[in-house]
Structure formats: structure tokens, C-alpha cells
């Protein structure tokens, strides 16, 4: 699931809930998200890192909107 919401300041907030086949692949995804210059304040829930396989994850972040 993917949700986007623009707050009253115009910032775009996003949340993603999904499943990764492995924790290692989720870590690759996390690193890709953190390298994206259009994404800031990315936070994965602590529960996202518990299971080594079939990982349910939750991620929130802000998107840098063009001005």
C-alpha cells in the first residue's frame, strides 16, 4: 500500500506498507531510498527488521516538492 498526503505547508508525506522477500533485499531498498535526493526523513518501523524472510515493512518519508 502506498499513501500520499500534502499537508497545509505543501509538504508531501508518504507512507508505504509492504512485504519484502528477505531482510537483505529490504536493506537494499532502504539504501536506495536514502540515496534518493527527492526523499527526506525516511523512517522504517523497528518491526520491519525482525524477520529474516517474508518481511512486513512500514516506511514513512517526505518528498521534496518542486517550488
Amino acid at each position: 500500500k502506498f499513501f500520499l498526503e500534502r499537508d497545509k505547508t505543501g509538504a508531501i508525506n508518504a507512507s508505504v506498507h509492504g512485504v519484502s522477500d528477505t531482510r537483505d533485499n529490504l536493506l537494499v531498498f532502504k539504501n536506495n531510498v536514502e540515496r534518493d535526493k527527492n526523499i527526506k526523513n525516511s523512517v522504517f518501523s523497528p518491526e520491519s527488521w525482525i524477520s529474516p524472510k517474508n518481511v512486513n515493512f512500514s516506511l514513512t518519508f517526505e518528498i521534496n516538492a518542486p517550488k
Side-chain angles (χ1 to χ4, degrees):
K1 295 181 180 179
F2 188 84
F3 301 96
L4 291 174
E5 178 179 76
R6 188 178 298 267
D7 68 17
K8 58 187 168 192
T9 68
I12 300 170
N13 299 301
S15 62
V16 178
H17 304 276
V19 179
S20 176
D21 57 342
T22 67
R23 186 174 23 206
D24 289 339
N25 284 340
L26 183 59
L27 182 58
V28 169
F29 176 62
K30 175 185 179 286
N31 291 335
N32 288 335
V33 167
E34 290 176 345
R35 278 194 294 268
D36 190 317
K37 292 178 179 17
N38 294 313
I39 295 175
K40 63 181 182 177
N41 300 327
S42 62
V43 177
F44 283 81
S45 67
E47 295 82 13
S48 299
W49 306 105
I50 294 172
S51 299
K53 294 185 178 186
N54 297 318
V55 181
N56 289 302
F57 69 90
S58 176
L59 162 67
T60 59
F61 58 92
E62 293 176 42
I63 299 172
N64 291 328
K67 295 186 180 197

